[in-house]
Every structure is written in C-alpha cells, then in structure tokens.
Amino acid sequence: MCEVTELVQQQVDRLYKSHYGKMVSSLLYFSQSIDVETAEDLVQDAFASALTHWPEEGIPANPAGWIFRVCRNKALNKIKQGEKVRGFFENEDFDAVEKEVSESPIDDQQLKLLFACAQQDFSPKVQVVITLKYVINLKVEAIAKILGMTIDGVDKLLLRARQKIRDENILFTEPDLYFLKYRLPIVHKIIYLIFNEGYKSSWGKEIIREELCEDALLMNKALLESGVGNKETAALHAMMLFNAARFKARFGNSGELLDLEEQDRSLWNKELIIYASKFLSQSQGGAISSYHYEASIAYLHCMAKDFKSTDWVSISKLYYQLLQNNLNPFVEMNYAIALYYSGQKEKAFDILYSLQQKPFLNQYYLLNAALGKLNFSEGNYTKAKSYLQATLHQTDSQLEKEYVQKFMAKSETQP
C-alpha cells in the first residue's frame, strides 16, 4: 500500500469509528423513507466512495462534511421525487455555518435519536441494543459482552428489530415533550452503559475508550441543558465525572494497569472532581436513585487522601443501599470488596464464595481477580495463585493478563 493510500485508509478508519453511527442515525431520523438496512448500506457506500476518490483527488478540507454530503446525495437519489423528505442533515454543521435556532426541547441530533430508540414500541432490551448499535456504533461482539448476551443472540435481536421497524412502519421521530420524561429512565440507562463501556472496554485492545466516555458525558450534559433532565440526570453526570477524573492514574509509567491501591492520586483531575461535586450537590433533594449511590461512592473515593484512609465503612453501606434498589451480582461483588476493606473480612469472603456458585460469575475475570488479590492479602498465597491463574483464561486484554501475572509472581516469592 502506497503512502497516500495508507494515509487515506487511516483517515477513513478514524472517521468511520467516530461518525458511522451518527450518519446512520441522521438518515433514520430525517427520512421517513429510509429503513435501517438501507441507511447502513448508504453510509457504507459513502465511506467506500471516499476510499475511491481521495487517493486521486486528495483528502478534502472537511473530510467528515464530504462524506456527509455524499451520503446525503446517495440517500436523495434513493428516494423518488415527490416523496416526503424531512430535510436530510439539515442541521448538520458541514462547514461550521451558523445553525438555525430550533424550537425542539432537545437540539442535539444524537440525543434526539437516543430518545427515538427508547420508544415504547420496543422492549427495554431492544431499546438498549439498537441504541448501542445505531447511535453509538458499537460492534455486535461488544454489545454482547456489555449485556451478557451471545453474539448470535444480539444478531437475532437486531434482525427481529429491523423486521419490526419495517413491518410496522416504525418511524424514528422525536417524541412529544410530554412523553420525554417517560423515556428518560431508559435514556439514563443507555448513557450509563455507554460510559461504562468506555471506562472498561469489553472489546478491542484498549482498556479505556475515552471517546465513548466523552459521548456519554456530552449526551448527558445536553439532557441537563435542554431542561429535559432531572436530579437523576445530575447524579449520573456527577458519577461519570468523578470516574473520568481518575483516568490518567489508571496506568503506570510503562503503560501498565494499576489498581486503585497503586494509583498516584496526585494525577487525579482535581478541577473535574470539583465540577462533579457541583452536580452531586444539584442532584440532592428528590428521590434517591442508583446513580445517587454510585456518585456518592465515587465521591468518597475521590475525597480519600490514600487507599488506607478511604471511608470503606460508608462505601459498604452505600453499596448495601444500592443492592436494595438493584439486586445485581456485580454490585454484590463490589459490596463484598468494600466490606473486606472496612474490616468485615469473613462476611466479605462468604459473599464472594457464594457468587462463585453462579456459573456466569465464576467465569468472570474480576471475581476471580478479587478473590486472588484478597487471598494474597490474607497470606493465602497458594489459593491466591489458583484464582489468579483462572483469570488468565478469562480476559483477552494483555494489560489485564500482565496485571494478574504481576500478582502471581509476588505469590511465588512468598514463603
């Protein structure tokens, strides 16, 4: 591959990763005559055109705008003259021109589609899957890992969703203001899943995918600024910001993965922590959601000077309250870990060993990693090594494997 072709390929790959979902969603939202499969085909064709033309003509000054325009033209050609078209990409900022003031309560196009995917015609699971696929552009394998589904299961669900959209002529339209509040909980859940996928990526080589975290934060901020969001939205925003503030400290000088105990807390973004505290304060005064508990837990971590002085007693109580609202084995695992560090070690191990009885959890990397580390802390080095050995087959991440191998090496040097 020549240098120019390679440069074009890299540029197209980057744009595909960041814009594919937005382009598909733009077609779905702005046209009543385009179904999901056609929208995907049109966007794929537009990217293929870039690969054909750019090596000869050069990369345009506004490459994203170029692909948007090609996509629009292909879509217009697909529609017979006289059919109703609601202005393809009419709000897209091709050339950074000034946008018209919209009367919509939600101006951000990605946010509009997010609400459209959360419509009641779909089951909650379908709402989440189609949003992750068409708004965020996650691969099927990544969606399967996030939701604990099989790849085949996600494929079949997407196929049925496409058929339903086509057969029942479901339109991706912006809901009336009155109905927005009913869709807000599922929108929160989707934003939460997007952020978590960015914070601990289940797909690819990267542990953190900051672009997904940024997408989640931008969409949630747009919710707050639109007036559609509520105190739960503010709590979710605080939780995401507290966690984002600790991104840089998650890796050592050589790029190695560090756990909370090993992190250099001087690298935590203090301005972001203050900003997050503002949203946590704004979230007070209404019903307490799971996002309130998670934001409070993240806040306590951010306020601790070091690992040992962390208020583990309060954190374990918050996890307990979170469990009352959300009986979830992953939350239960974190509750057990907080109990251990708060001094309730026997109860902590009882919970962790009981979670092992659940087939899915027993194959879960973080459960065995936690059992390995806590047994190591208790001086049970043989048992620790056994759990850590199991995790090596449960993660595809090289960084996580290296993290585990570091502990295994420590176990072997103990008497």
Side-chain angles (χ1 to χ4, degrees):
M1 185 181 293
C2 73
E3 187 176 343
V4 173
T5 305
E6 188 174 353
L7 189 64
V8 166
Q9 183 70 56
Q10 289 172 355
Q11 177 74 300
V12 170
D13 287 347
R14 186 182 64 78
L15 289 170
Y16 188 89
K17 190 176 178 182
S18 59
H19 284 75
Y20 175 84
K22 293 173 186 174
M23 291 185 186
V24 171
S25 63
S26 295
L27 282 176
L28 292 175
Y29 183 75
F30 284 107
S31 169
Q32 295 179 11
S33 303
I34 298 290
D35 60 30
V36 176
E37 287 170 293
T38 303
E40 288 182 295
D41 288 343
L42 290 169
V43 175
Q44 295 277 6
D45 284 350
F47 276 100
S49 295
L51 287 174
T52 302
H53 290 278
W54 290 1
E56 298 295 330
E57 301 170 4
I59 298 175
N62 180 359
W66 188 97
I67 295 178
F68 265 114
R69 283 198 184 89
V70 172
C71 194
R72 173 197 58 188
N73 292 337
K74 287 180 180 291
L76 287 170
N77 290 336
K78 198 81 177 174
I79 299 171
K80 294 177 181 177
Q81 192 172 11
E83 284 188 334
K84 186 177 181 183
V85 182
R86 290 181 296 154
F88 288 104
F89 311 111
E90 61 186 4
N91 291 323
E92 285 301 333
D93 191 9
F94 293 136
D95 298 309
V97 295
E98 187 176 352
K99 294 182 179 179
E100 295 181 2
V101 176
S102 169
E103 295 180 357
S104 169
I106 45 175
D107 285 334
D108 183 84
Q109 187 172 315
Q110 200 175 19
L111 195 59
K112 285 180 183 176
L113 191 74
L114 191 58
F115 273 97
C117 288
Q119 60 183 277
Q120 65 275 12
D121 292 309
F122 302 121
S123 70
K125 180 176 279 188
V126 172
Q127 291 169 340
V128 172
V129 169
I130 63 175
T131 303
L132 293 176
K133 172 68 178 173
Y134 296 116
V135 181
I136 305 303
N137 191 32
L138 290 185
K139 293 180 184 296
V140 169
E141 187 171 350
I143 297 171
K145 287 192 174 185
I146 292 170
L147 301 178
M149 297 173 66
T150 63
I151 294 173
D152 189 46
V154 174
D155 273 332
K156 287 178 179 174
L157 187 149
L158 284 169
L159 180 61
R160 288 196 295 271
R162 289 190 192 107
Q163 287 175 339
K164 183 178 175 68
I165 292 167
R166 184 170 53 245
D167 295 345
E168 300 179 19
N169 196 27
I170 296 173
L171 301 176
F172 283 79
T173 54
E174 181 182 346
D176 294 333
L177 181 60
Y178 177 76
F179 291 105
L180 287 177
K181 64 178 180 180
Y182 294 108
R183 298 187 187 179
L184 197 54
I186 188 68
V187 167
H188 284 155
K189 182 178 180 182
I190 292 166
I191 291 174
Y192 176 84
L193 285 171
I194 293 166
F195 183 85
N196 276 353
E197 174 58 15
Y199 190 74
K200 169 64 180 74
S201 177
S202 57
W203 170 255
K205 296 178 181 178
E206 301 166 277
I207 292 287
I208 293 178
R209 291 184 61 186
E210 289 194 38
E211 77 278 10
L212 288 182
C213 294
E214 287 172 5
D215 274 344
L217 279 162
L218 287 172
M219 283 190 283
N220 206 60
K221 187 76 186 320
L223 263 184
L224 289 165
E225 291 176 345
S226 69
V228 176
N230 55 20
K231 291 184 179 298
E232 201 169 316
T233 318
L236 174 59
H237 210 64
M239 185 276 289
M240 293 191 291
L241 287 170
F242 281 131
N243 285 302
R246 295 183 278 162
F247 275 168
K248 287 187 178 177
R250 291 179 64 189
F251 302 95
N253 294 332
S254 304
E256 73 275 21
L257 186 62
L258 302 176
D259 63 24
L260 187 60
E261 195 168 359
E262 300 170 310
Q263 290 177 15
D264 178 358
R265 295 182 182 225
S266 68
L267 296 176
W268 291 4
N269 189 324
K270 293 179 178 57
E271 290 182 356
L272 214 52
I273 291 171
I274 293 170
Y275 191 49
S277 300
K278 187 186 90 171
F279 285 102
L280 183 58
S281 178
Q282 286 181 5
S283 74
Q284 307 300 310
I288 301 176
S289 69
S290 59
Y291 306 118
H292 285 83
Y293 290 119
E294 290 203 43
S296 299
I297 290 167
Y299 167 81
L300 288 174
H301 279 301
C302 287
M303 291 300 110
K305 289 182 181 177
D306 53 43
F307 187 82
K308 287 183 179 177
S309 65
T310 303
D311 187 354
W312 290 106
V313 173
S314 295
I315 289 175
S316 64
K317 288 178 180 176
L318 287 166
Y319 271 123
Y320 178 79
Q321 292 298 325
L322 186 57
L323 272 175
Q324 307 313 302
N325 285 8
N326 179 24
L327 190 57
N328 177 310
F330 301 107
V331 176
E332 201 172 358
M333 183 184 72
N334 287 326
Y335 170 54
I337 293 170
L339 282 176
Y340 176 86
Y341 289 114
S342 71
Q344 299 187 63
K345 295 182 178 181
E346 187 175 347
K347 186 175 180 181
F349 275 113
D350 285 346
I351 293 172
L352 291 174
Y353 289 138
S354 70
L355 287 173
Q356 270 196 308
Q357 305 309 311
K358 301 178 187 293
F360 178 76
L361 263 293
N362 193 34
Q363 298 301 313
Y364 184 51
Y365 159 78
L366 286 178
L367 175 60
N368 283 307
L371 280 166
K373 185 175 179 185
L374 297 189
N375 271 293
F376 179 87
S377 298
E378 292 299 302
N380 303 324
Y381 303 121
T382 302
K383 194 179 271 189
K385 188 178 176 183
S386 172
Y387 286 117
L388 293 170
Q389 183 73 46
T391 66
L392 290 176
H393 306 291
Q394 295 170 340
T395 176
D396 296 325
S397 164
Q398 186 57 35
L399 284 176
E400 288 180 339
K401 286 180 187 291
E402 289 170 2
Y403 169 82
V404 168
Q405 285 164 343
K406 181 178 68 177
F407 263 101
M408 288 180 67
K410 285 183 183 177
S411 301
E412 289 170 353
T413 61
Q414 301 301 320

